[in-house]
Amino acid sequence: MTPAPVLCFGEALVDCLADQPGLPLAAVTSWTTYPGGAPANVAAALAKLGSTSRFVGCVGNDESGRALIATLAEAGVNCDYATLHRTLPTRLVYVLRDQQGDRHFAAFSQPDPTCFADAQFKPEWVAPESFDALQFLVMGTLGLAYPDTGRAMTQVLRYGEDKCAKVVIDVNWRPMFWPDPAVAPAIILKFLQQANFLKLSVDEAHWLFGTDDPKIIRQQLNQLEGVLITAGNAGCTYYLGAHYGAVPAFEVDVEDTTGAGDAFLAGFLHQLCEQGMGAFATPESAKATVTFASAVGALATLRPGAIAAQPTRREVEAFLYLHQGIR
């Protein structure tokens, strides 16, 4: 078994992107499918950057599910412990885009959000050996909406803690995934108490914490070693170690923002894999780490699709070289 410093647990799914930006759901006449799902996106982006990653999650034993696993494996992700559900389908999500490339999750391929394979990951399917040589455990919060997957996530945290892995949580709030969105804040906030690093959007920060100041969020969850708050074309603020700062967004011609936040998180994790906690040992290194992550996120918006658009390490370095002195 190949060691994987980063294990990404959660959903892999198919994003169906509208071919006609700016139209409502009922008016869209055609869609293009792309592999996606936040944890799967992060795992693939890490592999493309040169870090070793493993994906653990559940997809349907159908054409879409098998294609997702093949896409991840082709990107270099270890999928030895991904599960193919025998009866439930892979989740398909319909994604609308506006004229600026920003996306909106509009509907599922089936009316019930609980009837997809990723919603039914059993705790007993979590393999202890999949945590060997683990340094970082990446999780979202969507699986907390479903009892089985939520219990599996608790089991995953236990195994991660046994390996002394750093836990990285991306809130990734999507109310349409929750049968009862009203119960989500309390469940998510309790789950975040296990995090070492927290990534969330400005809207998610206000929704959960009533502020978008990463220092205040760090005070509310004092076990955190780092907080990253993304704001799209307004850039990112962060509190890493004892270092607070902000990095403006790179100006690029955006085609599609799907998966940009996941690419950003992968860029941050890639720096941690290479440098350890030295990635934010000083104010300068903390800013450089977040700048690298921002470059990865920016490059992921230049092409449609979450995984297909992710850059290589060489592309990121070339992009940063071209932009040095501009920022």
Side-chain angles (χ1 to χ4, degrees):
M1 180 177 62
T2 303
V6 185
L7 186 153
C8 300
F9 178 87
E11 68 279 357
L13 48 80
V14 176
D15 290 320
C16 304
L17 269 63
D19 292 329
Q20 297 82 37
L23 295 184
L25 180 65
V28 175
T29 57
S30 62
W31 307 81
T32 301
T33 59
Y34 295 94
N41 293 340
V42 174
L46 280 164
K48 288 188 176 184
L49 290 170
S51 292
T52 55
S53 62
R54 175 175 295 130
F55 172 75
V56 177
C58 186
V59 296
N61 189 11
D62 49 26
E63 183 178 355
S64 294
R66 292 188 294 271
L68 279 168
I69 298 305
T71 297
L72 291 173
E74 184 178 352
V77 178
N78 181 308
C79 297
D80 291 349
Y81 296 94
T83 299
L84 297 176
H85 202 288
R86 289 180 293 179
T87 58
L88 296 179
T90 302
R91 190 183 299 267
L92 273 64
V93 184
Y94 293 100
V95 184
L96 301 178
R97 292 181 290 166
D98 62 23
Q99 297 294 349
Q100 290 71 46
D102 290 327
R103 78 281 186 274
H104 168 66
F105 295 90
F108 296 126
S109 56
Q110 299 189 38
D112 182 0
T114 69
C115 70
F116 296 100
D118 62 272
Q120 308 293 338
F121 191 102
K122 307 294 184 185
E124 57 267 27
W125 296 347
V126 181
E129 57 270 27
S130 66
F131 295 80
D132 288 353
L134 190 66
Q135 296 178 19
F136 299 98
L137 171 61
V138 179
M139 305 176 77
T141 65
L142 296 184
L144 297 173
Y146 314 112
D148 280 341
T149 304
R151 286 191 292 271
M153 292 170 70
T154 299
Q155 184 65 53
V156 166
L157 281 175
R158 292 196 191 101
Y159 285 137
E161 290 170 358
D162 289 345
K163 296 295 183 179
C164 298
K166 299 291 186 181
V167 177
V168 183
I169 297 178
D170 181 357
V171 171
N172 197 30
W173 168 237
R174 303 284 183 265
M176 65 183 290
F177 278 75
W178 290 74
D180 182 5
V183 306
I187 293 173
I188 291 173
L189 283 169
K190 181 179 179 180
F191 188 68
L192 296 185
Q193 294 174 8
Q194 311 302 314
N196 298 106
F197 295 93
L198 175 63
K199 181 259 179 189
L200 63 172
S201 70
V202 166
D203 290 342
E204 290 164 347
H206 282 287
W207 174 64
L208 281 174
F209 298 101
T211 180
D212 60 7
D213 187 328
K215 291 184 290 187
I216 295 176
I217 293 173
R218 164 65 176 78
Q219 291 168 0
Q220 294 186 41
L221 293 171
N222 59 18
Q223 87 284 354
L224 289 172
E225 299 175 49
V227 180
L228 301 159
I229 300 180
T230 57
N233 60 13
C236 169
T237 56
Y238 60 89
Y239 192 69
L240 294 172
H243 309 302
Y244 171 81
V247 169
F250 289 95
E251 293 186 9
V252 295
D253 294 326
V254 174
E255 171 72 16
D256 174 29
T257 61
T258 305
D262 305 326
F264 171 93
L265 182 58
F268 173 74
L269 281 163
H270 178 69
Q271 294 296 92
L272 292 190
C273 288
E274 289 199 332
Q275 304 179 46
M277 299 306 111
F280 52 86
T282 67
E284 294 77 16
S285 65
K287 184 172 184 179
T289 294
V290 178
T291 299
F292 182 92
S294 297
V296 179
L299 285 167
T301 69
L302 300 182
R303 298 186 295 272
I307 292 177
Q310 293 164 350
T312 65
R313 173 64 182 265
R314 180 172 294 182
E315 289 172 327
V316 178
E317 291 176 342
F319 181 83
L320 288 170
Y321 180 80
L322 288 173
H323 285 79
Q324 66 181 358
I326 298 176
R327 302 170 72 76

